[in-house]
Amino acid sequence: MKATRRSLLAAPMLAVPALRPARAAGWPDRPVRIVVSFTAGGTTDIIARLVGAHLSDLWGQPVVIENRPGAGGNIGTEYVARSAPDGYTLLVASVGPLAVNMSLYKSMPYDSRKDLAAITLLAGVPNILVVAPDFPARSVAELVALAKAKPGGLSYGSTGVGTSSHLSGALMDQMAGVQTTHVPYRGAVALNDLLSRRVDFMFATIPSVIEQIRAGKLRAMAVSSLHRSRSAPDVPAMAELGFPGFDASSWFGMVAPAGTPPELVRKISSDAASILKRPDIEKQMVDQGADPVGNSPAEFAAFISAEIDRWSEVVRRSGAVPE
């Protein structure tokens, strides 16, 4: 997902930290903690650990990754939102807790626009529509035809209600005018049931399935971003296949508690962006299925606000409710 796909500056801005005396010069003088709002081993965790390791080298201080999963990412995100705004507690989270959950949950323990300070969009990670190698449909068009012939007869797995893997399937149903059955799982268990044909298809993040695709254990049909992914250039985008404007990608970014000094937010953003722009890191991330970004705090703040608005309509039409 590209942060430039719409006029970002036209969107409402997240809370801008109040101006405080400069503190960036002596920071950090002790370990920095990066909270991940999902379990270890998932895409959010992988990206946080990759960036965190290089930030540790750059800052000369340990960067400790702390997993605080639960409630669709809300538990870890709320924890950071309530933490001291001193730059020593940061969050790496995804589109779910930073944008989708704002409309998915009736009551939220934080407001992404008011309680968090955007630092940078780390990476866009398109979802990829995958099926078992022997699945009868050989294309998205054939998949849609099967779904129309058997309303509710095809099932798709996701990593949970309200996740981008769920809403990608819901958006396909809405745009194609079909009805498929959503089967939510907790995390990566969905992939196991896809491999064993307990569900028919899945929109999965590219890093979670790229090795299975390369090994021939899964067959890729399309990516959920507006354009093809650098990680899978031979796989067409849904927009190329009769779904104009289809964009249901995951993305992962870094934020801090609102009130973190602006000069410190800018420093962390600049340092993270410098890592993402290194050719070796860029290649490593692309090879794993992620498109590195590294934009400014203002750009990322506007992007989050635009995503909150965009996903609210998809959530409303899907009828999704939290588990």
Side-chain angles (χ1 to χ4, degrees), residues 1-3 47 121-127 206-207 225 229-231 249-253 285 289-294 303:
M1 178 184 298
K2 301 293 183 184
I47 291 174
L121 177 61
L122 297 171
V125 180
N127 291 319
I206 294 180
S225 50
S229 169
R230 286 186 288 172
S231 303
S249 298
S250 297
W251 50 260
F252 303 86
M285 292 185 73
D291 293 328
V293 182
F303 178 75

Side-chain angles (χ1 to χ4, degrees), residues 38-90:
F38 294 96
T39 55
T43 303
T44 313
D45 183 72
I46 291 169
I47 291 174
R49 291 180 188 277
L50 173 63
V51 174
H54 291 282
L55 286 175
S56 178
D57 293 340
L58 188 63
W59 293 338
Q61 291 287 345
V63 173
V64 180
I65 305 299
E66 181 177 323
N67 298 90
R68 286 181 173 259
N74 286 353
I75 289 176
T77 305
E78 180 190 12
Y79 176 81
V80 172
R82 307 300 177 219
S83 296
D86 56 10
Y88 288 97
T89 301
L90 308 174

Side-chain angles (χ1 to χ4, degrees), residues 21-35:
R23 299 179 185 176
W27 179 95
D29 59 6
R30 54 189 169 89
V32 176
R33 176 173 47 170
I34 295 180
V35 173

